Each structure stands twice: as structure tokens, then as C-alpha cells.
Amino acid sequence: MEKDSGYIFGPVPSRRLGLSLGVDLIPRKTCSFDCIYCQVGKTTDKRTENKDFYEPLEILSQLRKRLGERHPDTITLAGSGEPTLHKGLKEIINGIKKITDIPLALLTNGSLFWRQEVIDAALGADIILPTLSAGTEGTFRRIHRPHPEITLAKVLEGLGRLRNSFSGKILLEVMLVKGVNDQDHEIEALRDAITQVAPDRIQLNTVVRPPSESYATGLDSERLEQIRRFFGDNAEIIASPAPKDSLKKSWVLERDLVEMMRRRPVTAQDISSVTGESLEKINQLVEELLSRRVIEERVHEGRLYYTVK
Ligand code: SF4
């Protein structure tokens, strides 16, 4: 089976990794979690069992070709599902390291490191970006709606083992959802849990783009800053990056825009920032894609987003 949209997307500006070329290894919404804040939509294949979803050699071939056209800051295993569910993860990571010395990042929900083969595969990456958003089992289940086989205790055990084996950087994302995991007692429990993982950085995030569940809303900047202070100097709020000069060229290709929207909803301003093209030009292109029903509009907290239908 092949992915219709191809395996490589971007480069896109990442809040955490600069200009990031994405490698999408997993079918859309195949994940061990079904997070209430997920911007890709509801999980349709919730699993912990790994599988050879796509052919590693084909993924590597597409990446090699794209690297001939673009030079990103980072290559990121990410996309529309959980990458550690690919049985060939180790082969793919080792293959990428043979093609290029651009730093390789693994963006993961962090739920499967209790499996030794997942740790073994991930050790080939330069940066690992797991998520940990709850310090109590009930909140963990409420926010991530995990596969029944996954518990917070297992996740913490796995992340602790990862920390002991991995010498690269671990940047831990904490996704904060208003009224779900932002209360003082939740934040205290989370801090205790994070201590077991000992990440290099704690990166605080909140719901900005249209979520899977409309009740999942973001924190305001004042509360985010209070929580950042509570976590200490090792914590930061991850904010939208400035546009990169290297992308400020005529990059507005329909294929690239559609690829971007397939992975996450974007605003016209997002597209304009990435591409350096005027809002007027972006709006024209978006109108055309809307009229052809290639994309659709979604409104979230008063902002207009575009996503692939
Ligand atoms: S946010 Fe990530 S981990 Fe959560 S359901 Fe979506 S793809 Fe899976």
C-alpha cells in the first residue's frame, strides 16, 4: 500500500525545530491515543500493535528526492499518526542517517517506550519530542483517551527508560487544555511526573488550532506564563516562529499548500508567514481551492482555518 499524498511534507515552520521537513510514516489517524485536542481529527485505528504500514525503501527514496530540492533545518518523523507504530521505524531512521546529516527529530506521543524495540529504534534519532500532559491516571485518560493497554504508569516507565538510554536531546511537550489539566493540583502532579523523565526542556503548548473535540480550548497567555514560572527555568512556552528567509521565495505551489493543510488546519496568515507571499495572493489561491472543493473552512475561537476535505 502507498500513501496517496506521499510520505514527505513541507518544509513547514515548526515552533520547536525551525524549518522542518516532515516524514509521515503512518496512515492518517492511526494512533495509540485519541487526544481531545488532536488537530488531525478523531483516531480511526487505535492500536498499540506495530505494523509495516508502508515500504521503508519507498519512504527513503521520496525523502532523498525531496532533499535534492529543499534544505531544511531538521527532518522530522511526524504527520498524521503515531510514528513509533511503524514496524520498520529502526530501518527508516538508520536509512535517513545514511542519506543526510541533517538532524533527525522524532515527534511522538511517547506512549510506547515501554517496548524495548521502540527505544532501540528511537536511539538513532538526534532529538526526541514526546508528549506528557498529565500526572494523574484519570486526567491522562480524559485528555488522551488511550488504547486500553496503555496506562500513565507504563508511559512514565517507558519515558524513564528512554532517558536512561538516549544521549540526545529530549524536548518534552506539555499540552495544556483549559479546565482539563491546568488546575494547580494537576500541574503539581505533572511536575512530579516530569521529574521522572528528566527532559532537557519542558515545552508548554496549548490548544490553538481546531481540535478534535470543540470543548478542548486553550489557556490564555497569563495562565501559561504562571505555569511556566512554576516549572522553572527549564520550561518555555513554545510560540509561533518568525518566517524564515530561506522560504521567502515563490513557494506557493498548490501541492505544498494542500500537503500542509492535510496535516493540520492553517490560517491564511500562517500560509503567508511561511511563504512570504502577500495575504492577497494567498486569499486568491485559497478561494480557488475552496471553489474546487479541494479544501474546506473551519472556524475555531473566532479564527478561520483551512483544511483538506
Ligand atoms: S495529537 Fe498526536 S497523539 Fe494525540 S491523537 Fe492526535 S496524532 Fe495521536
Side-chain angles (χ1 to χ4, degrees):
M1 183 173 63
E2 258 192 56
K3 213 176 180 74
D4 295 342
S5 55
Y7 305 108
I8 314 302
F9 61 99
V12 293
S14 157
R15 286 186 279 186
R16 313 160 81 188
L17 298 165
L19 193 57
S20 161
L21 187 65
V23 182
D24 192 355
L25 314 176
I26 301 288
R28 190 174 161 89
K29 283 317 324 234
T30 298
C31 192
S32 48
F33 284 173
D34 181 17
C35 305
I36 58 174
Y37 58 79
C38 185
Q39 60 193 22
V40 188
K42 290 197 196 313
T43 296
T44 49
D45 182 3
K46 194 187 285 185
R47 58 161 62 224
T48 54
E49 198 189 336
N50 61 8
K51 186 174 166 184
D52 274 320
F53 289 103
Y54 302 119
E55 175 53 53
L57 289 178
E58 180 54 30
I59 295 171
L60 294 171
S61 155
Q62 287 190 14
L63 176 65
R64 193 179 290 111
K65 184 162 175 281
R66 190 64 73 90
L67 285 173
E69 301 163 3
R70 306 268 165 78
H71 190 86
D73 300 326
T74 320
I75 294 170
T76 307
L77 304 182
S80 43
E82 170 50 35
T84 60
L85 284 170
H86 198 303
K87 210 177 206 167
L89 184 65
K90 188 170 185 174
E91 183 183 347
I92 293 164
I93 288 180
N94 292 343
I96 293 173
K97 297 308 286 181
K98 282 186 193 145
I99 295 175
T100 177
D101 54 12
I102 294 172
L104 178 60
L106 171 63
L107 195 63
T108 167
N109 65 21
S111 67
L112 296 169
F113 289 111
W114 43 276
R115 290 201 165 140
Q116 191 56 40
E117 76 267 20
V118 175
I119 292 194
D120 290 345
L123 292 183
D126 299 295
I127 309 167
I128 300 179
L129 301 97
T131 298
L132 182 64
S133 300
T136 59
E137 186 68 38
T139 302
F140 173 75
R141 306 202 86 72
R142 227 171 0 263
I143 195 166
H144 296 305
R145 302 185 294 198
H147 184 280
E149 211 187 330
I150 298 174
T151 61
L152 177 61
K154 258 179 161 168
V155 170
L156 289 176
E157 181 214 321
L159 288 172
R161 272 164 61 187
L162 176 73
R163 176 70 293 176
N164 291 335
S165 341
F166 180 62
S167 54
K169 277 206 164 64
I170 296 182
L171 308 181
L172 188 78
E173 177 191 52
V174 176
M175 177 58 90
L176 292 158
V177 184
K178 199 169 177 180
V180 178
N181 64 346
D182 65 330
Q183 304 88 336
D184 288 348
H185 63 278
E186 293 290 347
I187 298 298
E188 280 164 24
L190 194 49
R191 184 178 61 180
D192 294 346
I194 290 174
T195 307
Q196 299 177 46
V197 181
D200 294 276
R201 294 291 282 168
I202 302 165
Q203 300 191 314
L204 304 181
N205 205 351
T206 195
V207 185
V208 177
R209 295 173 196 282
S212 175
E213 303 294 347
S214 56
Y215 62 82
T217 55
L219 275 54
D220 62 31
S221 51
E222 199 179 323
R223 181 62 181 147
L224 275 175
E225 180 53 28
Q226 278 172 357
I227 295 172
R228 189 202 64 72
R229 280 202 298 271
F230 179 78
F231 282 129
D233 290 344
N234 201 23
E236 63 186 324
I237 298 167
I238 45 180
S240 297
K244 284 285 222 174
D245 285 346
S246 53
L247 257 184
K248 283 189 171 180
K249 50 192 169 191
S250 189
W251 180 77
V252 185
L253 300 170
E254 180 178 319
R255 184 193 68 175
D256 289 339
L257 286 193
V258 172
E259 274 181 15
M260 197 195 299
M261 292 174 190
R262 199 184 300 282
R263 268 83 189 186
R264 62 178 190 178
V266 291
T267 63
Q269 186 60 58
D270 288 337
I271 303 168
S272 173
S273 300
V274 175
T275 59
E277 295 289 353
S278 68
L279 261 179
E280 193 187 349
K281 183 166 179 183
I282 298 300
N283 283 331
Q284 278 171 7
L285 186 65
V286 161
E287 282 304 323
E288 196 200 314
L289 291 170
L290 283 170
S291 68
R292 283 166 36 211
R293 297 175 184 268
V294 176
I295 64 173
E296 64 184 1
E297 295 177 337
R298 284 179 72 185
V299 176
H300 176 66
E301 295 194 344
R303 297 185 79 194
L304 181 60
Y305 289 84
Y306 301 102
T307 182
V308 169
K309 284 172 88 81

